[in-house]
Amino acid sequence: MNFKKLLKQLGAVGGFSISFAILASIIGSGEAPPEAFLFLSAFLGVGGRSTQLLLQDAKKAQALKDLEISKKLIHLVSANYGKTTLAEIMMKMDMPIPELKAKLEELQKEGILGVEISNSGEMLYTVSNPVSLEDRLFSHKLID
């Protein structure tokens, strides 16, 4: 675990914990000095901002994971002379079938993969232009 992530987690948990302790103290005593509300808002702010940063990090990590899966799928299809079947993809990818099909459909909608039907009626996933493909892979899902 890296140090920045640990600080964010401590900020989130600590900020909210101290806020709840201050709030419980205010409710329990019936009277509250004005400084208590200042500290309450400060610690709520720290907890909220830390939580927001953790969620952004998780979103970026998921985008990078999706990019790697897309790249692996594209390289797999490209390795088979630009055409491959779903069965071949399923054998080489370690993903649940519904998730794999959803990813393939997403890549089709984005124009990265195409579909052809073979003479035997089999559906083949294809890659057409490797130059534009490389450009799209690097920009795929990384824009916030």
Side-chain angles (χ1 to χ4, degrees):
M1 177 180 293
N2 74 37
F3 187 68
K4 285 184 180 180
K5 186 175 180 181
L6 180 63
L7 282 178
K8 291 173 190 174
Q9 290 174 338
L10 286 173
V13 172
F16 287 128
S17 297
I18 293 172
S19 297
F20 289 130
I22 292 171
L23 192 58
S25 173
I26 291 171
I27 292 172
S29 68
E31 290 183 23
E35 298 85 22
F37 293 105
L38 174 70
F39 285 117
L40 177 64
S41 62
F43 284 112
L44 280 174
V46 168
R49 179 66 178 149
S50 297
T51 302
Q52 180 189 21
L53 292 172
L54 284 170
L55 290 173
Q56 285 176 350
D57 289 349
K59 185 178 178 182
K60 285 180 185 176
Q62 184 62 41
L64 287 173
K65 180 182 172 191
D66 287 346
L67 176 64
E68 288 303 313
I69 290 171
S70 296
K71 287 171 79 173
K72 189 173 179 182
L73 280 168
I74 301 304
H75 290 295
L76 179 65
V77 174
S78 297
N80 290 335
Y81 305 105
K83 296 181 181 183
T84 189
T85 64
L86 179 61
E88 291 171 328
I89 294 171
M90 286 172 31
M91 287 189 307
K92 297 195 178 172
M93 294 293 292
D94 189 26
M95 289 176 69
I97 295 171
E99 188 178 323
L100 179 63
K101 285 184 176 183
K103 189 65 177 172
L104 289 168
E105 286 177 19
E106 177 186 326
L107 291 172
Q108 286 175 9
K109 288 177 184 175
E110 292 177 9
I112 296 173
L113 286 181
V115 178
E116 292 180 5
I117 304 298
S118 71
N119 292 338
S120 63
E122 224 175 3
M123 185 166 62
L124 300 172
Y125 291 94
T126 63
V127 176
S128 57
N129 186 354
V131 174
S132 65
L133 172 65
E134 196 66 27
D135 292 337
R136 287 188 239 170
L137 277 176
F138 287 115
S139 64
H140 179 70
K141 296 282 185 186
L142 292 180
I143 299 172
D144 288 328

